[in-house]
Amino acid sequence: MLWLALSGQAKASDSSASCPEPPTRHWQRVVPGVWVWPGAAEDIGPGNQAHVVSQILISHGSSATLIDPGPGLAHGREVIRSARCELDLTISRVLNSHAHAENVLGNAAFAPPHGAAALAATPATRAAMAQRCEQCVAAIAQAAGDPGLAMTPVVLPEPGLQPGQRWDSDAGGWLTLEFSSAHSESDLAWWNEDQRLLIAPGLVYRDRLPELAQGSLPGWIAALRELHRLRPSRIVGNLPMSGAGLEPGYRYLCDLGQAVLQALESGLSAAEATRIDLPAHAGLAGYAQRHGLNLQRAWRELEPLWIRGLPLACPALD
Ligand SMILES: [Zn+2]
C-alpha cells in the first residue's frame, strides 16, 4: 500500500534534458530490473567528486525506485538524466539508506524546483539529517575540493520508512530491514529473497575501511551476523559484490574490537591504543586516514563493557 500511494504522486524530472552522444554508461545491471552506478572505493577527495557510494535503481515498469541519490545536486541531476537516457526509466521514489552526506545530499535534484519524486527515510535518519546536514554540506564540499557542492540545499525526506515494509518490483519483492546503531543511527537494508539479493549501502564495504564515526562496533558486528543468516548470493554495499562480501568488513570490525580489548587487558592508555596497527587491513582505502579514529570510537564504546567483563561476540561467519 505504501508503494501504491507513493508511485501515484511521482513524476519525471529533467524530462527536457537531452541525452549526450556518445551515450554515457553509468549503470551496471546486477539482476534484471536492478542496476547500480558504482561509486569509487575511496575516501572522499578531489579526484572522485565525493561519489564514493553506489546509486541503486530498481524498476517497476517505466518507473524506478532509487536508493541513495549520491553526494549533491549536480550528481542527482546526472542520476535522473542517465536513468532516462540509458535505461528509459523515470525515478519516481528516492529512499535514503542512512544519514551520511555522500548518500543523501542528491535529494536536492528530486525536489522542487528540480524534480518531484517522493523522498523517504526512517524517522531516525531524517532526524539525524536535520541535525547534521547543514554542517555536512560544508564538510563534504571541503573534502571533495568542490565549492559547487556547498551550494547543494539540504532536502529532508519524509520519515515513512519502517522495518518490515514490503514492496514489489520487476525483480520481485523486497523486505525492508533496519539496523539501529550499526554504521549509523539507522541503517536500512533491503532483502530480495527471489533473487537472493541484499542491498545494504551503509553496512557492507568492499575495498574500503568501514566508517565507525557515527556507529556502534558491537551493533555493526551483530548486524552483519544477522545479514549473513540470509545467505545472499549477491550484495550491493558501497559497491556490488558477491554473497561473500560481508566477510572483509566483519573481519576488520572483529579484529578492531579484539585489538582494543587486548589493549585494555594490557593496561595501555587510550592514547597509546590509537596507534594499534592492523596490517591485515592496511590495504583498504581510508585505512591511513580513519583507522585511528575507528580505534578511538571502539575504545570509548568497549571500555565500559570490558570493565563489566562483557565479551565481544565475534564467531566466524560460516
Ligand atoms: Zn555512511
Side-chain angles (χ1 to χ4, degrees):
M1 293 305 279
L2 171 75
W3 166 238
L4 291 174
L6 291 173
S7 64
Q9 63 181 268
K11 196 58 208 120
S13 307
D14 271 11
S15 58
S16 61
S18 61
C19 295
E21 283 294 339
T24 53
R25 288 284 179 263
H26 293 322
W27 297 97
Q28 301 175 7
R29 194 176 77 167
V30 179
V31 297
V34 180
W35 295 264
V36 172
W37 180 1
E42 302 169 359
D43 273 21
I44 295 169
N48 54 42
Q49 300 174 300
H51 184 210
V52 297
V53 301
S54 291
Q55 283 64 68
I56 302 128
L57 272 178
I58 300 171
S59 69
H60 19 83
S62 60
S63 296
T65 290
L66 171 69
I67 296 173
D68 287 348
L73 174 60
H75 187 83
R77 289 171 67 87
E78 176 63 10
V79 169
I80 293 169
R81 193 201 55 74
S82 60
R84 182 172 57 79
C85 293
E86 293 180 34
L87 305 173
D88 200 20
L89 290 173
T90 297
I91 296 167
S92 56
R93 182 170 72 147
V94 178
L95 309 181
N96 292 155
S97 68
H98 67 288
H100 279 161
E102 59 270 36
N103 299 80
V104 303
L105 290 181
N107 280 2
F110 297 85
H114 305 287
L119 300 161
T122 63
T125 288
R126 187 185 194 279
M129 287 175 65
Q131 182 181 30
R132 287 202 301 263
C133 276
E134 291 297 343
Q135 289 76 35
C136 73
V137 170
I140 195 173
Q142 182 176 28
D146 181 358
L149 261 181
M151 307 302 289
T152 292
V154 175
V155 175
L156 297 179
E158 292 298 317
L161 297 189
Q162 297 173 5
Q165 289 172 332
R166 295 179 186 271
W167 45 284
D168 289 326
S169 75
D170 296 340
W174 296 87
L175 172 64
T176 305
L177 309 170
E178 182 188 16
F179 297 89
S180 300
S181 299
H183 163 64
S184 70
E185 304 86 347
S186 168
D187 289 280
L188 284 177
W190 290 271
W191 170 237
N192 185 320
E193 188 175 9
D194 299 323
Q195 308 286 345
R196 306 210 70 74
L197 172 59
L198 173 67
I199 295 176
L203 295 166
V204 184
Y205 282 53
R206 193 184 98 194
D207 300 334
R208 188 171 174 222
L209 193 78
E211 162 103 48
L212 196 56
Q214 274 92 34
S216 161
L217 183 66
W220 198 342
I221 287 169
L224 291 177
R225 277 209 309 278
E226 289 186 40
L227 293 175
H228 178 67
R229 293 180 62 197
L230 296 170
R231 307 285 173 183
S233 299
R234 298 182 184 84
I235 300 171
V236 180
N238 67 319
L239 294 169
M241 62 191 86
S242 74
L246 289 168
E247 177 71 29
Y250 182 77
R251 187 43 47 207
Y252 169 75
L253 293 170
C254 285
D255 289 352
L256 178 70
Q258 298 300 346
V260 167
L261 291 175
Q262 285 174 11
L264 285 160
E265 288 287 345
S266 306
L268 263 59
S269 69
E272 289 169 325
T274 62
R275 295 192 288 274
I276 296 171
D277 200 15
L278 295 177
H281 307 282
L284 295 172
Y287 180 88
Q289 296 89 338
R290 291 186 287 103
H291 173 61
L293 297 173
N294 284 351
L295 279 163
Q296 288 179 27
R297 175 76 182 171
W299 183 282
R300 284 200 303 275
E301 198 174 14
L302 293 183
E303 187 177 32
L305 301 180
W306 173 76
I307 290 170
R308 292 162 60 196
L310 298 175
L312 180 69
C314 262
L317 296 178
D318 51 16

